[in-house]
C-alpha cells in the first residue's frame, strides 16, 4: 500500500491541549503530509495560520463531544470556525433524538450545520457504539440528504471507538455517495490499515506519526 498519510486527520482534542502542542501538531502534519489537523475550536486561528500555503486542511469539532447543545449553537460554532479559518468540521449529532426516533430532526440539524459551514467539508459523527445496526444505516441516509461529506464512526470520548465491522457497514450503506471516517482507538499501523481496507477514506487519530513510522518500517523505507 502507498503511504497512509493522505488518509489521516492528525488529531489533538484533549482539554489540556496547549498552543505549543498545536504548533507541533501542525509541523508534523506538514512534514508527513497528513490530510488535515483536527484541533479544538479555540486553536483554529493558530492552526490555520501555521498551515497557510500548505495542502493540509484545518479541521475542528462542532457540538463536541456529546452533541446535545441546541442546533442553533452548532450552527453558530460552525460559522465561527469557518470564519476563523477552518475548512473541515466534525460535528456530533444529537444521539437522544436519534434514539427517540426523531431522524428528521437530526437530518435537519445536519443541514443547518452544512449551510452554516459555507462550503467547508462537514463530517458527521454518529457514535456507532451507542447505536443498533438499523439506526447506523438510517443515519448514513440522513447524512447524505443533509449534505454532509462524511459519516464518522466515533468521537473517541464514548465507551467504544471505531470497529472494522462498523466501517464496513457504513461504507456499504454509503455506496460511495459520501466518505467514511474511522476514529476512536486507532493507535497503530495495523489498526489504521484495517480501517482503510474496510472502506474508510479518512482515519482520525492522535497517533499519526507513530502509524507513519510503523508503515515506513514495514515497507523498508527507512
Amino acid at each position: 500500500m502507498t503511504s497512509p498519510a493522505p488518509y489521516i486527520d492528525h488529531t489533538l482534542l484533549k482539554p489540556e491541549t496547549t498552543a505549543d502542542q498545536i504548533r507541533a501538531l501542525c509541523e508534523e502534519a506538514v512534514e508527513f503530509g497528513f490530510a488535515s489537523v483536527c484541533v479544538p475550536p479555540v486553536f483554529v486561528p493558530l492552526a490555520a495560520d501555521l498551515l497557510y500555503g500548505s495542502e493540509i486542511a484545518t479541521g475542528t469539532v462542532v457540538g463536541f463531544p456529546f452533541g446535545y447543545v441546541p442546533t442553533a449553537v452548532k450552527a453558530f460554532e460552525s460559522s465561527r470556525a469557518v470564519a476563523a479559518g477552518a475548512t473541515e468540521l466534525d460535528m456530533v449529532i444529537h444521539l437522544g433524538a436519534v434514539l427517540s426516533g426523531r431522524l428528521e430532526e437530526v437530518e435537519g440539524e445536519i443541514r443547518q450545520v452544512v449551510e452554516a459551514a459555507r462550503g467547508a467539508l462537514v463530517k458527521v459523527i454518529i457514535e456507532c457504539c451507542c447505536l443498533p445496526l438499523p439506526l447506523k444505516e438510517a443515519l448514513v441516509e440522513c447524512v447524505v440528504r443533509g449534505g454532509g461529506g462524511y459519516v464518522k464512526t466515533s468521537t473517541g470520548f464514548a465507551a467504544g471507538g471505531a470497529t472494522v465491522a462498523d466501517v464496513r457497514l457504513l461504507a456499504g450503506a454509503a455506496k460511495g455517495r459520501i466518505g467514511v471516517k474511522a476514529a476512536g482507538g486507532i493507535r497503530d499501523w495495523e489498526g489504521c490499515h484495517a480501517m482503510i481496507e474496510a472502506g474508510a477514506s479518512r482515519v482520525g487519530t492522535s497517533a499519526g506519526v507513530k502509524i507513519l513510522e510503523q508503515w515506513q518500517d514495514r515497507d523498508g523505507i527507512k
Side-chain angles (χ1 to χ4, degrees):
M1 178 180 170
T2 57
S3 171
Y7 289 86
I8 292 176
D9 288 349
H10 198 32
T11 302
L12 184 58
L13 295 171
K14 293 181 179 179
E16 66 270 25
T17 297
T18 67
D20 284 344
Q21 290 173 321
I22 296 299
R23 291 186 183 94
L25 188 84
C26 292
E27 289 173 1
E28 291 166 350
V30 172
E31 177 183 354
F32 289 94
F34 294 133
S36 77
V37 298
C38 189
V39 303
V42 70
F43 290 118
V44 166
L46 174 61
D49 183 60
L50 291 169
L51 295 172
Y52 182 78
S54 77
E55 296 182 355
I56 315 303
T58 300
T60 192
V61 288
V62 171
F64 194 86
F66 300 122
Y68 49 31
V69 299
T71 298
V73 175
K74 293 180 186 178
F76 177 74
E77 288 182 16
S78 300
S79 62
R80 285 294 299 268
V82 171
T87 55
E88 299 192 356
L89 305 175
D90 290 27
M91 70 163 286
V92 186
I93 59 171
H94 181 198
L95 284 169
V98 174
L99 294 169
S100 299
R102 305 200 309 272
L103 294 182
E104 289 186 3
E105 178 182 320
V106 175
E107 181 182 326
E109 178 177 81
I110 294 167
R111 186 173 294 110
Q112 288 186 53
V113 168
V114 168
E115 290 173 356
R118 303 197 304 274
L121 176 66
V122 175
K123 293 169 254 176
V124 181
I125 307 172
I126 67 171
E127 207 70 279
C128 284
C129 70
C130 299
L131 302 172
L133 185 149
L135 282 178
K136 297 172 191 177
E137 293 177 324
L139 282 168
V140 170
E141 298 305 317
C142 288
V143 176
V144 171
R145 291 193 297 266
Y150 275 77
V151 59
K152 178 178 171 182
T153 61
S154 325
T155 60
F157 285 76
T163 68
V164 168
D166 279 334
V167 170
R168 189 174 290 120
L169 171 71
L170 297 179
K175 297 183 177 67
R177 294 172 294 169
I178 56 174
V180 175
K181 178 175 174 178
I186 304 166
R187 300 186 179 92
D188 55 28
W189 163 238
E190 182 179 0
C192 178
H193 184 242
M195 297 301 170
I196 294 170
E197 287 291 297
S201 42
R202 286 286 187 94
V203 175
T205 178
S206 59
V209 172
K210 176 183 175 182
I211 288 169
L212 261 291
E213 290 174 343
Q214 289 179 341
W215 169 78
Q216 290 170 339
D217 289 341
R218 186 212 64 167
D219 279 11
I221 293 174
K222 284 189 174 181

